[in-house]
PDB file of all heavy atoms in Angstrom:
ATOM      1  N   THR A   1     -13.669  31.857  -6.449  1.00 98.00           N
ATOM      2  CA  THR A   1     -13.730  32.387  -7.810  1.00 98.00           C
ATOM      3  C   THR A   1     -12.337  32.809  -8.264  1.00 98.00           C
ATOM      4  O   THR A   1     -11.447  33.068  -7.460  1.00 98.00           O
ATOM      5  CB  THR A   1     -14.686  33.589  -7.907  1.00 98.00           C
ATOM      6  OG1 THR A   1     -14.317  34.568  -6.937  1.00 98.00           O
ATOM      7  CG2 THR A   1     -16.126  33.166  -7.673  1.00 98.00           C
ATOM      8  N   SER A   2     -12.193  32.894  -9.568  1.00 98.00           N
ATOM      9  CA  SER A   2     -10.919  33.251 -10.172  1.00 98.00           C
ATOM     10  C   SER A   2     -10.736  34.769 -10.190  1.00 98.00           C
ATOM     11  O   SER A   2     -11.611  35.525  -9.766  1.00 98.00           O
ATOM     12  CB  SER A   2     -10.878  32.713 -11.602  1.00 98.00           C
ATOM     13  OG  SER A   2     -11.858  33.381 -12.389  1.00 98.00           O
ATOM     14  N   VAL A   3      -9.609  35.211 -10.709  1.00 98.00           N
ATOM     15  CA  VAL A   3      -9.348  36.642 -10.848  1.00 98.00           C
ATOM     16  C   VAL A   3     -10.471  37.318 -11.619  1.00 98.00           C
ATOM     17  O   VAL A   3     -10.930  38.409 -11.258  1.00 98.00           O
ATOM     18  CB  VAL A   3      -7.996  36.868 -11.569  1.00 98.00           C
ATOM     19  CG1 VAL A   3      -7.810  38.350 -11.906  1.00 98.00           C
ATOM     20  CG2 VAL A   3      -6.835  36.374 -10.712  1.00 98.00           C
ATOM     21  N   GLN A   4     -10.948  36.674 -12.659  1.00 98.00           N
ATOM     22  CA  GLN A   4     -12.000  37.249 -13.509  1.00 98.00           C
ATOM     23  C   GLN A   4     -13.406  36.837 -13.084  1.00 98.00           C
ATOM     24  O   GLN A   4     -14.368  37.067 -13.817  1.00 98.00           O
ATOM     25  CB  GLN A   4     -11.741  36.864 -14.964  1.00 98.00           C
ATOM     26  CG  GLN A   4     -10.441  37.459 -15.503  1.00 98.00           C
ATOM     27  CD  GLN A   4     -10.142  37.064 -16.936  1.00 98.00           C
ATOM     28  OE1 GLN A   4     -10.628  36.044 -17.427  1.00 98.00           O
ATOM     29  NE2 GLN A   4      -9.321  37.858 -17.622  1.00 98.00           N
ATOM     30  N   GLY A   5     -13.517  36.245 -11.907  1.00 98.00           N
ATOM     31  CA  GLY A   5     -14.831  35.946 -11.344  1.00 98.00           C
ATOM     32  C   GLY A   5     -15.451  34.635 -11.765  1.00 98.00           C
ATOM     33  O   GLY A   5     -16.646  34.406 -11.507  1.00 98.00           O
ATOM     34  N   ARG A   6     -14.686  33.750 -12.381  1.00 98.00           N
ATOM     35  CA  ARG A   6     -15.236  32.456 -12.775  1.00 98.00           C
ATOM     36  C   ARG A   6     -15.229  31.499 -11.581  1.00 98.00           C
ATOM     37  O   ARG A   6     -14.347  31.552 -10.729  1.00 98.00           O
ATOM     38  CB  ARG A   6     -14.447  31.880 -13.957  1.00 98.00           C
ATOM     39  CG  ARG A   6     -14.590  32.720 -15.206  1.00 98.00           C
ATOM     40  CD  ARG A   6     -13.917  32.102 -16.420  1.00 98.00           C
ATOM     41  NE  ARG A   6     -14.235  32.892 -17.606  1.00 98.00           N
ATOM     42  CZ  ARG A   6     -13.497  33.904 -18.054  1.00 98.00           C
ATOM     43  NH1 ARG A   6     -12.376  34.234 -17.414  1.00 98.00           N
ATOM     44  NH2 ARG A   6     -13.870  34.575 -19.120  1.00 98.00           N
ATOM     45  N   LYS A   7     -16.195  30.586 -11.587  1.00 98.00           N
ATOM     46  CA  LYS A   7     -16.383  29.689 -10.447  1.00 98.00           C
ATOM     47  C   LYS A   7     -15.323  28.590 -10.407  1.00 98.00           C
ATOM     48  O   LYS A   7     -14.968  28.016 -11.434  1.00 98.00           O
ATOM     49  CB  LYS A   7     -17.766  29.035 -10.513  1.00 98.00           C
ATOM     50  CG  LYS A   7     -18.930  30.003 -10.414  1.00 98.00           C
ATOM     51  CD  LYS A   7     -20.245  29.265 -10.623  1.00 98.00           C
ATOM     52  CE  LYS A   7     -21.430  30.219 -10.593  1.00 98.00           C
ATOM     53  NZ  LYS A   7     -22.705  29.497 -10.853  1.00 98.00           N
ATOM     54  N   ILE A   8     -14.857  28.297  -9.206  1.00 98.00           N
ATOM     55  CA  ILE A   8     -14.027  27.116  -8.958  1.00 98.00           C
ATOM     56  C   ILE A   8     -14.926  26.120  -8.244  1.00 98.00           C
ATOM     57  O   ILE A   8     -15.344  26.355  -7.111  1.00 98.00           O
ATOM     58  CB  ILE A   8     -12.791  27.452  -8.107  1.00 98.00           C
ATOM     59  CG1 ILE A   8     -11.942  28.520  -8.816  1.00 98.00           C
ATOM     60  CG2 ILE A   8     -11.961  26.194  -7.848  1.00 98.00           C
ATOM     61  CD1 ILE A   8     -10.822  29.066  -7.952  1.00 98.00           C
ATOM     62  N   GLU A   9     -15.259  25.042  -8.945  1.00 98.00           N
ATOM     63  CA  GLU A   9     -16.321  24.145  -8.501  1.00 98.00           C
ATOM     64  C   GLU A   9     -15.774  22.856  -7.899  1.00 98.00           C
ATOM     65  O   GLU A   9     -14.694  22.387  -8.284  1.00 98.00           O
ATOM     66  CB  GLU A   9     -17.229  23.817  -9.688  1.00 98.00           C
ATOM     67  CG  GLU A   9     -17.833  25.069 -10.313  1.00 98.00           C
ATOM     68  CD  GLU A   9     -18.515  24.802 -11.640  1.00 98.00           C
ATOM     69  OE1 GLU A   9     -17.892  24.151 -12.496  1.00 98.00           O
ATOM     70  OE2 GLU A   9     -19.670  25.250 -11.828  1.00 98.00           O
ATOM     71  N   SER A  10     -16.543  22.297  -6.981  1.00 98.00           N
ATOM     72  CA  SER A  10     -16.185  20.998  -6.407  1.00 98.00           C
ATOM     73  C   SER A  10     -17.407  20.106  -6.367  1.00 98.00           C
ATOM     74  O   SER A  10     -18.554  20.582  -6.300  1.00 98.00           O
ATOM     75  CB  SER A  10     -15.613  21.159  -4.996  1.00 98.00           C
ATOM     76  OG  SER A  10     -16.629  21.500  -4.068  1.00 98.00           O
ATOM     77  N   TYR A  11     -17.160  18.788  -6.407  1.00 98.00           N
ATOM     78  CA  TYR A  11     -18.214  17.777  -6.350  1.00 98.00           C
ATOM     79  C   TYR A  11     -17.797  16.758  -5.299  1.00 98.00           C
ATOM     80  O   TYR A  11     -16.743  16.132  -5.409  1.00 98.00           O
ATOM     81  CB  TYR A  11     -18.384  17.104  -7.715  1.00 98.00           C
ATOM     82  CG  TYR A  11     -18.753  18.074  -8.811  1.00 98.00           C
ATOM     83  CD1 TYR A  11     -17.769  18.769  -9.514  1.00 98.00           C
ATOM     84  CD2 TYR A  11     -20.087  18.311  -9.134  1.00 98.00           C
ATOM     85  CE1 TYR A  11     -18.110  19.678 -10.512  1.00 98.00           C
ATOM     86  CE2 TYR A  11     -20.429  19.209 -10.133  1.00 98.00           C
ATOM     87  CZ  TYR A  11     -19.436  19.893 -10.818  1.00 98.00           C
ATOM     88  OH  TYR A  11     -19.780  20.791 -11.806  1.00 98.00           O
ATOM     89  N   THR A  12     -18.631  16.605  -4.274  1.00 98.00           N
ATOM     90  CA  THR A  12     -18.294  15.732  -3.146  1.00 98.00           C
ATOM     91  C   THR A  12     -19.221  14.530  -3.119  1.00 98.00           C
ATOM     92  O   THR A  12     -20.452  14.671  -3.145  1.00 98.00           O
ATOM     93  CB  THR A  12     -18.400  16.492  -1.807  1.00 98.00           C
ATOM     94  OG1 THR A  12     -17.513  17.608  -1.846  1.00 98.00           O
ATOM     95  CG2 THR A  12     -18.021  15.590  -0.635  1.00 98.00           C
ATOM     96  N   TYR A  13     -18.618  13.351  -3.040  1.00 98.00           N
ATOM     97  CA  TYR A  13     -19.351  12.086  -2.979  1.00 98.00           C
ATOM     98  C   TYR A  13     -19.135  11.476  -1.603  1.00 98.00           C
ATOM     99  O   TYR A  13     -18.007  11.165  -1.223  1.00 98.00           O
ATOM    100  CB  TYR A  13     -18.843  11.125  -4.058  1.00 98.00           C
ATOM    101  CG  TYR A  13     -19.028  11.656  -5.457  1.00 98.00           C
ATOM    102  CD1 TYR A  13     -18.098  12.536  -6.010  1.00 98.00           C
ATOM    103  CD2 TYR A  13     -20.135  11.300  -6.221  1.00 98.00           C
ATOM    104  CE1 TYR A  13     -18.270  13.039  -7.289  1.00 98.00           C
ATOM    105  CE2 TYR A  13     -20.313  11.800  -7.504  1.00 98.00           C
ATOM    106  CZ  TYR A  13     -19.377  12.681  -8.030  1.00 98.00           C
ATOM    107  OH  TYR A  13     -19.554  13.182  -9.295  1.00 98.00           O
ATOM    108  N   GLY A  14     -20.221  11.330  -0.857  1.00 96.00           N
ATOM    109  CA  GLY A  14     -20.124  10.749   0.478  1.00 96.00           C
ATOM    110  C   GLY A  14     -20.026  11.804   1.558  1.00 96.00           C
ATOM    111  O   GLY A  14     -19.773  12.985   1.303  1.00 96.00           O
ATOM    112  N   THR A  15     -20.216  11.357   2.793  1.00 94.00           N
ATOM    113  CA  THR A  15     -20.232  12.282   3.933  1.00 94.00           C
ATOM    114  C   THR A  15     -19.159  11.972   4.970  1.00 94.00           C
ATOM    115  O   THR A  15     -19.126  12.593   6.026  1.00 94.00           O
ATOM    116  CB  THR A  15     -21.607  12.241   4.620  1.00 94.00           C
ATOM    117  OG1 THR A  15     -21.891  10.899   5.058  1.00 94.00           O
ATOM    118  CG2 THR A  15     -22.704  12.711   3.676  1.00 94.00           C
ATOM    119  N   SER A  16     -18.300  11.030   4.678  1.00 96.00           N
ATOM    120  CA  SER A  16     -17.267  10.663   5.642  1.00 96.00           C
ATOM    121  C   SER A  16     -16.266  11.801   5.831  1.00 96.00           C
ATOM    122  O   SER A  16     -15.984  12.573   4.906  1.00 96.00           O
ATOM    123  CB  SER A  16     -16.526   9.406   5.185  1.00 96.00           C
ATOM    124  OG  SER A  16     -15.424   9.132   6.028  1.00 96.00           O
ATOM    125  N   THR A  17     -15.719  11.905   7.027  1.00 95.00           N
ATOM    126  CA  THR A  17     -14.676  12.897   7.278  1.00 95.00           C
ATOM    127  C   THR A  17     -13.341  12.460   6.688  1.00 95.00           C
ATOM    128  O   THR A  17     -12.415  13.276   6.580  1.00 95.00           O
ATOM    129  CB  THR A  17     -14.515  13.133   8.782  1.00 95.00           C
ATOM    130  OG1 THR A  17     -14.245  11.878   9.437  1.00 95.00           O
ATOM    131  CG2 THR A  17     -15.779  13.737   9.386  1.00 95.00           C
ATOM    132  N   LYS A  18     -13.230  11.204   6.301  1.00 97.00           N
ATOM    133  CA  LYS A  18     -12.022  10.723   5.616  1.00 97.00           C
ATOM    134  C   LYS A  18     -12.193  11.039   4.139  1.00 97.00           C
ATOM    135  O   LYS A  18     -12.948  10.397   3.433  1.00 97.00           O
ATOM    136  CB  LYS A  18     -11.833   9.220   5.821  1.00 97.00           C
ATOM    137  CG  LYS A  18     -10.517   8.677   5.239  1.00 97.00           C
ATOM    138  CD  LYS A  18     -10.505   7.162   5.197  1.00 97.00           C
ATOM    139  CE  LYS A  18     -10.523   6.542   6.576  1.00 97.00           C
ATOM    140  NZ  LYS A  18     -10.408   5.051   6.493  1.00 97.00           N
ATOM    141  N   LYS A  19     -11.493  12.080   3.669  1.00 98.00           N
ATOM    142  CA  LYS A  19     -11.720  12.592   2.315  1.00 98.00           C
ATOM    143  C   LYS A  19     -10.478  12.429   1.452  1.00 98.00           C
ATOM    144  O   LYS A  19      -9.354  12.691   1.891  1.00 98.00           O
ATOM    145  CB  LYS A  19     -12.114  14.068   2.365  1.00 98.00           C
ATOM    146  CG  LYS A  19     -13.519  14.321   2.886  1.00 98.00           C
ATOM    147  CD  LYS A  19     -13.884  15.792   2.804  1.00 98.00           C
ATOM    148  CE  LYS A  19     -15.357  16.002   3.082  1.00 98.00           C
ATOM    149  NZ  LYS A  19     -15.756  15.565   4.418  1.00 98.00           N
ATOM    150  N   LEU A  20     -10.722  12.047   0.204  1.00 98.00           N
ATOM    151  CA  LEU A  20      -9.686  11.939  -0.814  1.00 98.00           C
ATOM    152  C   LEU A  20     -10.050  12.936  -1.909  1.00 98.00           C
ATOM    153  O   LEU A  20     -11.148  12.879  -2.464  1.00 98.00           O
ATOM    154  CB  LEU A  20      -9.641  10.517  -1.359  1.00 98.00           C
ATOM    155  CG  LEU A  20      -8.642  10.202  -2.471  1.00 98.00           C
ATOM    156  CD1 LEU A  20      -7.222  10.517  -2.046  1.00 98.00           C
ATOM    157  CD2 LEU A  20      -8.768   8.730  -2.871  1.00 98.00           C
ATOM    158  N   VAL A  21      -9.136  13.853  -2.212  1.00 98.00           N
ATOM    159  CA  VAL A  21      -9.423  14.960  -3.121  1.00 98.00           C
ATOM    160  C   VAL A  21      -8.626  14.804  -4.414  1.00 98.00           C
ATOM    161  O   VAL A  21      -7.428  14.498  -4.391  1.00 98.00           O
ATOM    162  CB  VAL A  21      -9.081  16.315  -2.456  1.00 98.00           C
ATOM    163  CG1 VAL A  21      -9.351  17.475  -3.419  1.00 98.00           C
ATOM    164  CG2 VAL A  21      -9.881  16.492  -1.167  1.00 98.00           C
ATOM    165  N   PHE A  22      -9.300  15.027  -5.553  1.00 98.00           N
ATOM    166  CA  PHE A  22      -8.665  15.001  -6.869  1.00 98.00           C
ATOM    167  C   PHE A  22      -8.822  16.378  -7.511  1.00 98.00           C
ATOM    168  O   PHE A  22      -9.929  16.918  -7.553  1.00 98.00           O
ATOM    169  CB  PHE A  22      -9.306  13.937  -7.756  1.00 98.00           C
ATOM    170  CG  PHE A  22      -9.086  12.524  -7.288  1.00 98.00           C
ATOM    171  CD1 PHE A  22      -9.903  11.963  -6.313  1.00 98.00           C
ATOM    172  CD2 PHE A  22      -8.048  11.753  -7.805  1.00 98.00           C
ATOM    173  CE1 PHE A  22      -9.702  10.658  -5.868  1.00 98.00           C
ATOM    174  CE2 PHE A  22      -7.843  10.452  -7.367  1.00 98.00           C
ATOM    175  CZ  PHE A  22      -8.666   9.902  -6.398  1.00 98.00           C
ATOM    176  N   VAL A  23      -7.715  16.927  -8.019  1.00 98.00           N
ATOM    177  CA  VAL A  23      -7.717  18.294  -8.547  1.00 98.00           C
ATOM    178  C   VAL A  23      -7.150  18.305  -9.963  1.00 98.00           C
ATOM    179  O   VAL A  23      -6.066  17.768 -10.221  1.00 98.00           O
ATOM    180  CB  VAL A  23      -6.873  19.237  -7.668  1.00 98.00           C
ATOM    181  CG1 VAL A  23      -6.966  20.678  -8.194  1.00 98.00           C
ATOM    182  CG2 VAL A  23      -7.312  19.167  -6.211  1.00 98.00           C
ATOM    183  N   GLY A  24      -7.862  18.925 -10.885  1.00 98.00           N
ATOM    184  CA  GLY A  24      -7.378  19.114 -12.243  1.00 98.00           C
ATOM    185  C   GLY A  24      -7.224  20.587 -12.571  1.00 98.00           C
ATOM    186  O   GLY A  24      -7.659  21.454 -11.807  1.00 98.00           O
ATOM    187  N   GLY A  25      -6.600  20.880 -13.690  1.00 98.00           N
ATOM    188  CA  GLY A  25      -6.596  22.233 -14.237  1.00 98.00           C
ATOM    189  C   GLY A  25      -5.821  23.281 -13.478  1.00 98.00           C
ATOM    190  O   GLY A  25      -6.098  24.468 -13.635  1.00 98.00           O
ATOM    191  N   VAL A  26      -4.843  22.894 -12.668  1.00 98.00           N
ATOM    192  CA  VAL A  26      -4.040  23.916 -11.983  1.00 98.00           C
ATOM    193  C   VAL A  26      -3.394  24.834 -13.012  1.00 98.00           C
ATOM    194  O   VAL A  26      -3.264  26.037 -12.781  1.00 98.00           O
ATOM    195  CB  VAL A  26      -2.973  23.257 -11.081  1.00 98.00           C
ATOM    196  CG1 VAL A  26      -2.074  24.320 -10.449  1.00 98.00           C
ATOM    197  CG2 VAL A  26      -3.631  22.410  -9.997  1.00 98.00           C
ATOM    198  N   HIS A  27      -3.028  24.262 -14.144  1.00 97.00           N
ATOM    199  CA  HIS A  27      -2.420  25.055 -15.213  1.00 97.00           C
ATOM    200  C   HIS A  27      -3.389  25.301 -16.365  1.00 97.00           C
ATOM    201  O   HIS A  27      -2.989  25.453 -17.521  1.00 97.00           O
ATOM    202  CB  HIS A  27      -1.138  24.385 -15.699  1.00 97.00           C
ATOM    203  CG  HIS A  27      -0.025  24.484 -14.703  1.00 97.00           C
ATOM    204  ND1 HIS A  27       0.840  23.443 -14.435  1.00 97.00           N
ATOM    205  CD2 HIS A  27       0.339  25.490 -13.877  1.00 97.00           C
ATOM    206  CE1 HIS A  27       1.708  23.821 -13.499  1.00 97.00           C
ATOM    207  NE2 HIS A  27       1.422  25.050 -13.143  1.00 97.00           N
ATOM    208  N   GLY A  28      -4.671  25.343 -16.032  1.00 96.00           N
ATOM    209  CA  GLY A  28      -5.699  25.828 -16.943  1.00 96.00           C
ATOM    210  C   GLY A  28      -5.688  25.190 -18.309  1.00 96.00           C
ATOM    211  O   GLY A  28      -5.559  23.974 -18.469  1.00 96.00           O
ATOM    212  N   GLY A  29      -5.807  26.026 -19.333  1.00 94.00           N
ATOM    213  CA  GLY A  29      -5.919  25.536 -20.697  1.00 94.00           C
ATOM    214  C   GLY A  29      -4.655  24.911 -21.235  1.00 94.00           C
ATOM    215  O   GLY A  29      -4.701  24.126 -22.187  1.00 94.00           O
ATOM    216  N   TYR A  30      -3.510  25.250 -20.655  1.00 94.00           N
ATOM    217  CA  TYR A  30      -2.263  24.640 -21.088  1.00 94.00           C
ATOM    218  C   TYR A  30      -2.285  23.134 -20.819  1.00 94.00           C
ATOM    219  O   TYR A  30      -1.701  22.358 -21.570  1.00 94.00           O
ATOM    220  CB  TYR A  30      -1.091  25.303 -20.360  1.00 94.00           C
ATOM    221  CG  TYR A  30       0.253  24.707 -20.697  1.00 94.00           C
ATOM    222  CD1 TYR A  30       0.795  24.833 -21.973  1.00 94.00           C
ATOM    223  CD2 TYR A  30       0.983  24.014 -19.737  1.00 94.00           C
ATOM    224  CE1 TYR A  30       2.029  24.293 -22.288  1.00 94.00           C
ATOM    225  CE2 TYR A  30       2.220  23.466 -20.045  1.00 94.00           C
ATOM    226  CZ  TYR A  30       2.739  23.610 -21.326  1.00 94.00           C
ATOM    227  OH  TYR A  30       3.961  23.055 -21.626  1.00 94.00           O
ATOM    228  N   GLU A  31      -2.950  22.737 -19.747  1.00 95.00           N
ATOM    229  CA  GLU A  31      -3.103  21.323 -19.410  1.00 95.00           C
ATOM    230  C   GLU A  31      -4.586  20.963 -19.394  1.00 95.00           C
ATOM    231  O   GLU A  31      -5.105  20.402 -18.431  1.00 95.00           O
ATOM    232  CB  GLU A  31      -2.427  21.022 -18.071  1.00 95.00           C
ATOM    233  CG  GLU A  31      -0.913  21.225 -18.125  1.00 95.00           C
ATOM    234  CD  GLU A  31      -0.199  20.937 -16.813  1.00 95.00           C
ATOM    235  OE1 GLU A  31      -0.883  20.649 -15.800  1.00 95.00           O
ATOM    236  OE2 GLU A  31       1.041  21.006 -16.791  1.00 95.00           O
ATOM    237  N   TRP A  32      -5.260  21.300 -20.496  1.00 95.00           N
ATOM    238  CA  TRP A  32      -6.706  21.095 -20.583  1.00 95.00           C
ATOM    239  C   TRP A  32      -7.083  19.625 -20.421  1.00 95.00           C
ATOM    240  O   TRP A  32      -8.189  19.307 -19.975  1.00 95.00           O
ATOM    241  CB  TRP A  32      -7.243  21.619 -21.924  1.00 95.00           C
ATOM    242  CG  TRP A  32      -6.603  20.999 -23.124  1.00 95.00           C
ATOM    243  CD1 TRP A  32      -5.537  21.482 -23.822  1.00 95.00           C
ATOM    244  CD2 TRP A  32      -6.959  19.777 -23.753  1.00 95.00           C
ATOM    245  NE1 TRP A  32      -5.201  20.630 -24.855  1.00 95.00           N
ATOM    246  CE2 TRP A  32      -6.068  19.572 -24.837  1.00 95.00           C
ATOM    247  CE3 TRP A  32      -7.951  18.810 -23.514  1.00 95.00           C
ATOM    248  CZ2 TRP A  32      -6.132  18.454 -25.666  1.00 95.00           C
ATOM    249  CZ3 TRP A  32      -8.021  17.695 -24.355  1.00 95.00           C
ATOM    250  CH2 TRP A  32      -7.122  17.528 -25.409  1.00 95.00           C
ATOM    251  N   ASN A  33      -6.161  18.708 -20.779  1.00 96.00           N
ATOM    252  CA  ASN A  33      -6.502  17.282 -20.658  1.00 96.00           C
ATOM    253  C   ASN A  33      -6.676  16.864 -19.207  1.00 96.00           C
ATOM    254  O   ASN A  33      -7.425  15.931 -18.905  1.00 96.00           O
ATOM    255  CB  ASN A  33      -5.471  16.402 -21.363  1.00 96.00           C
ATOM    256  CG  ASN A  33      -4.041  16.634 -20.907  1.00 96.00           C
ATOM    257  OD1 ASN A  33      -3.710  17.694 -20.370  1.00 96.00           O
ATOM    258  ND2 ASN A  33      -3.187  15.670 -21.146  1.00 96.00           N
ATOM    259  N   SER A  34      -6.012  17.556 -18.279  1.00 97.00           N
ATOM    260  CA  SER A  34      -6.215  17.240 -16.863  1.00 97.00           C
ATOM    261  C   SER A  34      -7.617  17.634 -16.398  1.00 97.00           C
ATOM    262  O   SER A  34      -8.179  17.014 -15.494  1.00 97.00           O
ATOM    263  CB  SER A  34      -5.158  17.948 -16.000  1.00 97.00           C
ATOM    264  OG  SER A  34      -5.358  19.351 -15.961  1.00 97.00           O
ATOM    265  N   ILE A  35      -8.183  18.657 -17.050  1.00 98.00           N
ATOM    266  CA  ILE A  35      -9.553  19.074 -16.726  1.00 98.00           C
ATOM    267  C   ILE A  35     -10.549  18.045 -17.254  1.00 98.00           C
ATOM    268  O   ILE A  35     -11.477  17.624 -16.546  1.00 98.00           O
ATOM    269  CB  ILE A  35      -9.852  20.466 -17.312  1.00 98.00           C
ATOM    270  CG1 ILE A  35      -8.845  21.493 -16.787  1.00 98.00           C
ATOM    271  CG2 ILE A  35     -11.281  20.895 -16.979  1.00 98.00           C
ATOM    272  CD1 ILE A  35      -8.934  22.844 -17.481  1.00 98.00           C
TER     273      ILE A  35
END
């Protein structure tokens, strides 16, 4: 959760231990298009 208690969510497709992760929104609303 964030400082203000909002959820940081993830969605996982597949069960393999070989995982590729994609992350958006590190800079929040300033880079809203990444979200």
Side-chain angles (χ1 to χ4, degrees):
T1 54
S2 66
V3 172
Q4 296 179 337
R6 295 185 173 91
K7 297 175 183 178
I8 301 171
E9 302 169 311
S10 72
Y11 300 86
T12 301
Y13 299 83
T15 58
S16 173
T17 56
K18 185 192 294 184
K19 288 184 170 61
L20 178 58
V21 179
F22 294 83
V23 184
V26 176
H27 288 139
Y30 178 67
E31 295 180 356
W32 58 266
N33 55 338
S34 70
I35 303 171

